[in-house]
Amino acid sequence: MKIDRVEIRQIHLPFISPFQTSGWVENGNNSVIVKVFSEGIAGWGESSVGRFPNYIEETSSTVLSLQKEVLVSLMLKKDITHPGELSDIFKNVRGNRFAISGLESAVWDLWCKTKKQNLSKFLGGKRERVAVGVSLGIPENKKELLSLCEKYLSKGYQRIKIKIKPGWDVEPLKGIRKRWPDIMLQVDANGAYSIKEIKILESLDKYNLLMIEQPFHYDDLLYHSVLQKGIKTPVCLDESITSPDKAVEALIMDACRVINIKPGRVGGIVNAIIIHHICRKNKIPVWCGGMMETGIGRAVNVCLASLPGFTLPGDISANSRYFKRDIVENPFELNSDGTLTVPTESGHGAIVDEKYLNKITINKTIIK
Ligand SMILES: [Mg+2]
């Protein structure tokens, strides 16, 4: 298979309501969407980064320029017999994992379509439905948080995750646990705590949490391992796990007992699968995180989450949780058992609504 044309576009798809983490607010999805072509068949991919480098170092501008100036020329017109060969094609590119991942997932989609194969099946997915949870940003106050929990639990989501930061941790958890003593509940700090605040994190052990996600710095393993050794609750790493090697280091150090896998953060589907296999071998549960992707990235995540090691509910809500209208014609809807149905179509399964995509496109480049 030879890629003969690539379309790259920056989009802005507004959220229904802004999403507040410990350090920033997101008002919409600012992904870079790529479409790759080979002999008239097309595959779609998404690099779901923001405009500002708050979650990771990359932004929609850096992704766009790297894809345009470097990555596409490396892969264009090359004979690709399997998408795994992209790791070799991009081997001299350091970092820029979201930029690589967007192109890699488009090539996976295209390649599966040419083989009339479904991505989930091809990757070894075993589930027809995947359990999903909801991630709640930091609201104005506790009352609002409780009413959001109520809303999403009544829709059927299987677990609640709340964003925390120093000063917004013990109190909201007390409130939730008083009302719902047994729900699956976890917290995510996006790196907001320093080691000096370890006592607060240790005190969260009594709230029967599924996990405490990324309390310390986005690149840290050491302080996470200090925390993990002192508490029963599993520490989960998100931002710190940027590659299979980083996952191995974290397991050797006992820096976490759960890993959140996002294909973009680790450089694509191949690395995500390798991390899944490493964790499965070491009996470390994994789950699929989310970057508030459009239906394209979401379809990739659902396919990935169908693999057997993804035993915890993912941050993969129904599309309508974030968008009034998504750029796909087949948005995921929440089943009554708190799951999403894994696509069965060729490729990752997202059917792109190009008319609407054009409306929310900020700029578009074609390279051939
Ligand atoms: Mg996280």
Side-chain angles (χ1 to χ4, degrees):
M1 177 178 89
K2 277 188 183 148
I3 310 290
D4 44 46
R5 183 155 65 101
V6 179
E7 282 178 18
I8 308 173
R9 60 176 95 207
Q10 266 179 311
I11 63 163
H12 178 72
L13 184 61
F15 291 147
I16 292 169
S17 54
F19 190 83
Q20 172 82 51
T21 74
S22 59
W24 66 91
V25 185
E26 295 284 358
N27 293 304
N29 170 301
N30 297 293
S31 288
V32 175
I33 302 288
V34 294
K35 187 179 185 186
V36 298
F37 295 81
S38 177
E39 295 173 12
I41 303 177
W44 292 91
E46 173 173 2
S47 299
S48 47
V49 285
R51 284 197 184 144
F52 193 82
N54 40 28
Y55 171 76
I56 210 147
E57 299 90 332
E58 293 174 84
T59 67
S60 45
S61 307
T62 69
V63 166
L64 183 73
S65 66
L66 197 85
Q67 288 181 343
K68 267 166 53 174
E69 291 161 24
V70 178
L71 300 178
V72 171
S73 58
L74 288 173
M75 63 185 244
L76 209 62
K77 313 278 192 300
K78 285 255 165 69
D79 235 330
I80 297 173
T81 53
H82 185 282
E85 290 162 18
L86 287 179
S87 319
D88 195 46
I89 292 174
F90 296 145
K91 68 176 186 287
N92 291 325
V93 180
R94 291 190 181 177
N96 294 286
R97 296 176 297 276
F98 274 88
I100 290 171
S101 167
L103 283 168
E104 192 228 32
S105 49
V107 173
W108 271 106
D109 187 37
L110 169 62
W111 187 80
C112 285
K113 283 173 179 167
T114 63
K115 306 269 175 214
K116 297 195 170 40
Q117 286 249 22
N118 166 260
L119 180 64
S120 157
K121 287 276 168 315
F122 186 78
L123 298 177
K126 298 284 179 225
R127 297 190 185 89
E128 287 171 11
R129 292 177 166 209
V130 298
V132 295
V134 71
S135 171
L136 302 179
I138 298 175
E140 291 283 310
N141 52 49
K142 213 157 96 178
K143 197 174 155 209
E144 198 186 319
L145 175 71
L146 295 179
S147 83
L148 283 170
C149 290
E150 177 95 66
K151 176 176 159 187
Y152 288 105
L153 288 170
S154 70
K155 281 181 192 276
Y157 283 101
Q158 295 197 11
R159 69 105 172 100
I160 297 280
K161 160 167 139 180
I162 65 165
K163 295 285 189 183
I164 57 165
K165 62 180 181 180
W168 176 262
D169 37 40
V170 174
E171 280 307 309
L173 285 178
K174 259 190 208 165
I176 295 176
R177 276 299 180 224
K178 196 172 161 204
R179 185 124 161 231
W180 296 283
D182 303 318
I183 56 163
M184 284 201 266
L185 180 64
Q186 67 194 63
V187 295
D188 182 9
N190 291 104
Y193 292 81
S194 76
I195 190 68
K196 289 181 194 150
E197 290 155 315
I198 194 166
K199 289 268 170 271
I200 304 171
L201 297 163
E202 286 168 352
S203 78
L204 304 186
D205 224 7
K206 61 172 173 271
Y207 295 102
N208 186 26
L209 300 174
L210 267 184
M211 68 193 81
I212 299 175
E213 185 179 345
Q214 196 76 36
F216 298 124
H217 189 258
Y218 70 88
D219 195 29
D220 173 79
L221 293 181
L222 181 63
Y223 292 159
H224 286 100
S225 88
V226 173
L227 176 67
Q228 182 64 89
K229 288 179 176 80
I231 59 173
K232 288 196 308 281
T233 310
V235 169
C236 169
L237 288 176
D238 174 350
E239 285 91 330
S240 291
I241 305 298
T242 49
S243 66
D245 282 345
K246 231 18 202 318
V248 171
E249 284 173 35
L251 299 192
I252 291 171
M253 291 171 70
D254 192 19
C256 64
R257 290 177 193 161
V258 174
I259 290 182
N260 163 344
I261 299 182
K262 295 176 181 172
R265 197 194 64 232
V266 301
I269 292 171
V270 170
N271 281 351
I273 300 282
I274 296 171
I275 295 173
H276 164 271
H277 292 350
I278 292 167
C279 289
R280 197 151 181 243
K281 206 173 158 199
N282 287 281
K283 299 193 168 47
I284 295 289
V286 302
W287 56 285
C288 188
M291 293 292 296
M292 296 174 277
E293 294 90 350
T294 71
I296 298 173
R298 202 165 294 266
V300 171
N301 288 350
V302 173
C303 289
L304 196 60
S306 69
L307 268 74
F310 286 81
T311 52
L312 293 163
D315 270 354
I316 332 167
S317 314
N319 309 53
S320 59
R321 151 88 174 101
Y322 295 112
F323 310 112
K324 208 178 268 174
R325 180 176 172 185
D326 203 335
I327 56 169
V328 292
E329 289 170 13
N330 55 342
F332 289 99
E333 281 167 22
L334 190 70
N335 299 315
S336 56
D337 59 351
T339 61
L340 299 185
T341 303
V342 179
T344 51
E345 296 91 345
S346 296
H348 52 53
I351 301 167
V352 178
D353 175 353
E354 289 204 60
K355 243 189 185 167
Y356 187 54
L357 175 62
N358 286 335
K359 267 197 183 155
I360 54 130
T361 293
I362 296 165
N363 58 58
K364 179 171 146 183
T365 311
I366 297 173
I367 309 172
K368 48 187 176 184

CSV table of all heavy atoms in Angstrom, one decimal, residues 321-350:
chain,number,residue,atom,x,y,z
A,321,ARG,N,-21.8,13.6,25.4
A,321,ARG,CA,-21.4,14.2,26.7
A,321,ARG,C,-20.6,15.5,26.5
A,321,ARG,O,-20.6,16.4,27.3
A,321,ARG,CB,-20.5,13.1,27.3
A,321,ARG,CG,-19.4,13.6,28.3
A,321,ARG,CD,-19.9,13.8,29.7
A,321,ARG,NE,-18.8,14.1,30.6
A,321,ARG,CZ,-18.5,15.3,31.0
A,321,ARG,NH1,-19.3,16.3,30.7
A,321,ARG,NH2,-17.5,15.5,31.9
A,322,TYR,N,-19.9,15.6,25.3
A,322,TYR,CA,-19.1,16.8,25.0
A,322,TYR,C,-19.6,17.7,23.9
A,322,TYR,O,-19.5,18.9,24.0
A,322,TYR,CB,-17.7,16.4,24.7
A,322,TYR,CG,-16.9,15.7,25.8
A,322,TYR,CD1,-16.6,14.4,25.8
A,322,TYR,CD2,-16.6,16.4,27.0
A,322,TYR,CE1,-16.0,13.8,26.8
A,322,TYR,CE2,-16.0,15.8,28.0
A,322,TYR,CZ,-15.7,14.5,28.0
A,322,TYR,OH,-15.0,13.9,29.0
A,323,PHE,N,-20.2,17.1,22.9
A,323,PHE,CA,-20.6,17.8,21.7
A,323,PHE,C,-22.1,17.8,21.4
A,323,PHE,O,-22.7,16.7,21.5
A,323,PHE,CB,-19.8,17.3,20.5
A,323,PHE,CG,-18.4,17.1,20.7
A,323,PHE,CD1,-17.8,15.8,20.7
A,323,PHE,CD2,-17.5,18.2,20.9
A,323,PHE,CE1,-16.4,15.7,20.9
A,323,PHE,CE2,-16.2,18.0,21.1
A,323,PHE,CZ,-15.6,16.7,21.1
A,324,LYS,N,-22.6,19.0,21.0
A,324,LYS,CA,-24.0,19.0,20.6
A,324,LYS,C,-24.1,18.2,19.3
A,324,LYS,O,-25.0,17.5,19.0
A,324,LYS,CB,-24.4,20.5,20.3
A,324,LYS,CG,-25.8,20.7,20.5
A,324,LYS,CD,-26.2,22.2,20.3
A,324,LYS,CE,-26.1,22.9,21.7
A,324,LYS,NZ,-26.3,24.4,21.5
A,325,ARG,N,-23.1,18.5,18.4
A,325,ARG,CA,-23.0,17.7,17.1
A,325,ARG,C,-21.5,17.3,16.9
A,325,ARG,O,-20.7,18.2,16.9
A,325,ARG,CB,-23.5,18.6,16.0
A,325,ARG,CG,-23.5,17.9,14.7
A,325,ARG,CD,-24.1,18.8,13.6
A,325,ARG,NE,-23.9,18.2,12.3
A,325,ARG,CZ,-24.3,18.7,11.1
A,325,ARG,NH1,-24.8,19.9,11.2
A,325,ARG,NH2,-24.1,18.2,10.0
A,326,ASP,N,-21.3,16.1,16.7
A,326,ASP,CA,-19.9,15.6,16.4
A,326,ASP,C,-19.7,15.6,14.9
A,326,ASP,O,-20.6,15.7,14.1
A,326,ASP,CB,-19.7,14.2,17.1
A,326,ASP,CG,-18.3,13.9,17.4
A,326,ASP,OD1,-17.4,14.5,16.7
A,326,ASP,OD2,-18.0,13.1,18.3
A,327,ILE,N,-18.4,15.3,14.5
A,327,ILE,CA,-18.1,15.3,13.1
A,327,ILE,C,-18.3,13.9,12.5
A,327,ILE,O,-17.8,13.6,11.4
A,327,ILE,CB,-16.7,15.8,12.8
A,327,ILE,CG1,-15.7,15.0,13.6
A,327,ILE,CG2,-16.6,17.3,13.2
A,327,ILE,CD1,-14.2,15.2,13.2
A,328,VAL,N,-19.0,13.0,13.2
A,328,VAL,CA,-19.2,11.7,12.7
A,328,VAL,C,-20.7,11.5,12.5
A,328,VAL,O,-21.5,12.0,13.3
A,328,VAL,CB,-18.6,10.6,13.5
A,328,VAL,CG1,-17.1,10.6,13.4
A,328,VAL,CG2,-19.1,10.6,14.9
A,329,GLU,N,-21.1,10.6,11.6
A,329,GLU,CA,-22.5,10.3,11.4
A,329,GLU,C,-23.0,9.2,12.3
A,329,GLU,O,-24.2,8.9,12.4
A,329,GLU,CB,-22.7,9.9,9.9
A,329,GLU,CG,-22.6,11.0,8.9
A,329,GLU,CD,-22.5,10.6,7.5
A,329,GLU,OE1,-22.8,9.4,7.2
A,329,GLU,OE2,-22.1,11.4,6.7
A,330,ASN,N,-22.1,8.5,12.9
A,330,ASN,CA,-22.4,7.4,13.8
A,330,ASN,C,-21.9,7.6,15.2
A,330,ASN,O,-21.0,6.8,15.6
A,330,ASN,CB,-22.0,6.0,13.2
A,330,ASN,CG,-20.5,6.0,12.9
A,330,ASN,OD1,-19.8,7.0,12.8
A,330,ASN,ND2,-19.9,4.8,12.8
A,331,PRO,N,-22.3,8.6,15.9
A,331,PRO,CA,-21.8,8.8,17.3
A,331,PRO,C,-22.1,7.7,18.2
A,331,PRO,O,-23.1,7.0,18.0
A,331,PRO,CB,-22.5,10.1,17.8
A,331,PRO,CG,-23.7,10.2,16.9
A,331,PRO,CD,-23.4,9.6,15.6
A,332,PHE,N,-21.2,7.5,19.2
A,332,PHE,CA,-21.5,6.4,20.2
A,332,PHE,C,-22.6,6.9,21.1
A,332,PHE,O,-22.6,8.0,21.6
A,332,PHE,CB,-20.2,6.1,21.0
A,332,PHE,CG,-19.1,5.4,20.2
A,332,PHE,CD1,-18.1,6.2,19.7
A,332,PHE,CD2,-19.2,4.1,20.0
A,332,PHE,CE1,-17.1,5.5,19.0
A,332,PHE,CE2,-18.2,3.4,19.3
A,332,PHE,CZ,-17.1,4.2,18.8
A,333,GLU,N,-23.5,5.9,21.4
A,333,GLU,CA,-24.5,6.2,22.4
A,333,GLU,C,-24.3,5.3,23.6
A,333,GLU,O,-23.9,4.1,23.4
A,333,GLU,CB,-25.9,6.0,21.8
A,333,GLU,CG,-26.3,7.3,21.0
A,333,GLU,CD,-27.5,7.0,20.1
A,333,GLU,OE1,-28.2,6.1,20.4
A,333,GLU,OE2,-27.6,7.8,19.1
A,334,LEU,N,-24.6,5.7,24.8
A,334,LEU,CA,-24.5,4.9,26.0
A,334,LEU,C,-25.5,3.8,26.0
A,334,LEU,O,-26.7,4.1,26.0
A,334,LEU,CB,-24.5,5.8,27.2
A,334,LEU,CG,-24.1,5.1,28.5
A,334,LEU,CD1,-22.6,4.9,28.6
A,334,LEU,CD2,-24.5,6.0,29.7
A,335,ASN,N,-25.1,2.6,26.2
A,335,ASN,CA,-26.1,1.5,26.3
A,335,ASN,C,-26.6,1.5,27.8
A,335,ASN,O,-25.9,2.1,28.7
A,335,ASN,CB,-25.4,0.1,26.1
A,335,ASN,CG,-24.9,0.0,24.6
A,335,ASN,OD1,-25.6,0.4,23.7
A,335,ASN,ND2,-23.7,-0.4,24.4
A,336,SER,N,-27.7,0.9,28.0
A,336,SER,CA,-28.3,1.0,29.4
A,336,SER,C,-27.5,0.3,30.4
A,336,SER,O,-27.6,0.5,31.6
A,336,SER,CB,-29.7,0.3,29.3
A,336,SER,OG,-29.6,-1.0,28.9
A,337,ASP,N,-26.5,-0.6,30.0
A,337,ASP,CA,-25.6,-1.2,31.0
A,337,ASP,C,-24.3,-0.4,31.2
A,337,ASP,O,-23.3,-1.0,31.7
A,337,ASP,CB,-25.3,-2.7,30.6
A,337,ASP,CG,-24.7,-2.7,29.2
A,337,ASP,OD1,-24.6,-1.7,28.5
A,337,ASP,OD2,-24.2,-3.8,28.8
A,338,GLY,N,-24.3,0.9,30.8
A,338,GLY,CA,-23.1,1.7,31.0
A,338,GLY,C,-22.0,1.3,30.1
A,338,GLY,O,-20.8,1.4,30.5
A,339,THR,N,-22.3,0.9,28.9
A,339,THR,CA,-21.2,0.5,28.0
A,339,THR,C,-21.4,1.2,26.6
A,339,THR,O,-22.4,1.8,26.3
A,339,THR,CB,-21.2,-1.0,27.6
A,339,THR,OG1,-22.5,-1.3,27.0
A,339,THR,CG2,-21.1,-1.9,28.9
A,340,LEU,N,-20.3,1.2,25.8
A,340,LEU,CA,-20.4,1.6,24.4
A,340,LEU,C,-20.2,0.4,23.6
A,340,LEU,O,-19.4,-0.5,24.0
A,340,LEU,CB,-19.4,2.7,24.1
A,340,LEU,CG,-19.4,4.0,24.8
A,340,LEU,CD1,-18.3,4.9,24.2
A,340,LEU,CD2,-20.8,4.7,24.8
A,341,THR,N,-20.9,0.3,22.4
A,341,THR,CA,-20.7,-0.9,21.5
A,341,THR,C,-19.5,-0.7,20.6
A,341,THR,O,-19.3,0.3,20.0
A,341,THR,CB,-22.0,-1.0,20.7
A,341,THR,OG1,-23.1,-1.1,21.6
A,341,THR,CG2,-22.0,-2.2,19.8
A,342,VAL,N,-18.7,-1.7,20.6
A,342,VAL,CA,-17.5,-1.7,19.8
A,342,VAL,C,-17.9,-1.8,18.3
A,342,VAL,O,-18.7,-2.6,17.9
A,342,VAL,CB,-16.6,-2.9,20.2
A,342,VAL,CG1,-15.3,-2.9,19.3
A,342,VAL,CG2,-16.2,-2.8,21.7
A,343,PRO,N,-17.3,-0.9,17.5
A,343,PRO,CA,-17.6,-0.9,16.1
A,343,PRO,C,-17.3,-2.2,15.4
A,343,PRO,O,-16.3,-2.9,15.8
A,343,PRO,CB,-16.7,0.2,15.5
A,343,PRO,CG,-16.3,1.1,16.6
A,343,PRO,CD,-16.3,0.2,17.8
A,344,THR,N,-18.0,-2.5,14.4
A,344,THR,CA,-17.7,-3.8,13.7
A,344,THR,C,-17.4,-3.5,12.2
A,344,THR,O,-17.1,-4.4,11.4
A,344,THR,CB,-18.9,-4.7,13.7
A,344,THR,OG1,-20.1,-4.0,13.3
A,344,THR,CG2,-19.2,-5.3,15.1
A,345,GLU,N,-17.5,-2.3,11.8
A,345,GLU,CA,-17.2,-1.9,10.4
A,345,GLU,C,-15.7,-2.1,10.1
A,345,GLU,O,-14.9,-2.3,11.0
A,345,GLU,CB,-17.5,-0.4,10.1
A,345,GLU,CG,-19.0,-0.1,10.2
A,345,GLU,CD,-19.3,0.4,11.6
A,345,GLU,OE1,-18.6,0.2,12.6
A,345,GLU,OE2,-20.4,1.0,11.8
A,346,SER,N,-15.4,-2.1,8.8
A,346,SER,CA,-13.9,-2.1,8.4
A,346,SER,C,-13.3,-0.8,9.0
A,346,SER,O,-13.9,0.2,9.1
A,346,SER,CB,-13.8,-2.0,6.9
A,346,SER,OG,-14.3,-3.2,6.3
A,347,GLY,N,-12.0,-0.9,9.3
A,347,GLY,CA,-11.3,0.2,9.9
A,347,GLY,C,-11.8,0.4,11.4
A,347,GLY,O,-12.3,-0.5,12.0
A,348,HIS,N,-11.6,1.7,11.9
A,348,HIS,CA,-12.0,1.9,13.3
A,348,HIS,C,-13.5,2.2,13.4
A,348,HIS,O,-14.0,2.2,14.5
A,348,HIS,CB,-11.2,3.0,13.9
A,348,HIS,CG,-11.1,4.3,13.1
A,348,HIS,ND1,-12.2,5.0,12.7
A,348,HIS,CD2,-10.0,5.0,12.7
A,348,HIS,CE1,-11.8,6.1,12.0
A,348,HIS,NE2,-10.4,6.1,12.1
A,349,GLY,N,-14.1,2.4,12.3
A,349,GLY,CA,-15.6,2.4,12.3
A,349,GLY,C,-16.2,3.8,12.2
A,349,GLY,O,-17.4,3.9,12.0
A,350,ALA,N,-15.4,4.9,12.4
A,350,ALA,CA,-16.0,6.2,12.4
A,350,ALA,C,-16.4,6.6,11.0
A,350,ALA,O,-15.6,6.5,10.0
A,350,ALA,CB,-15.1,7.2,13.0
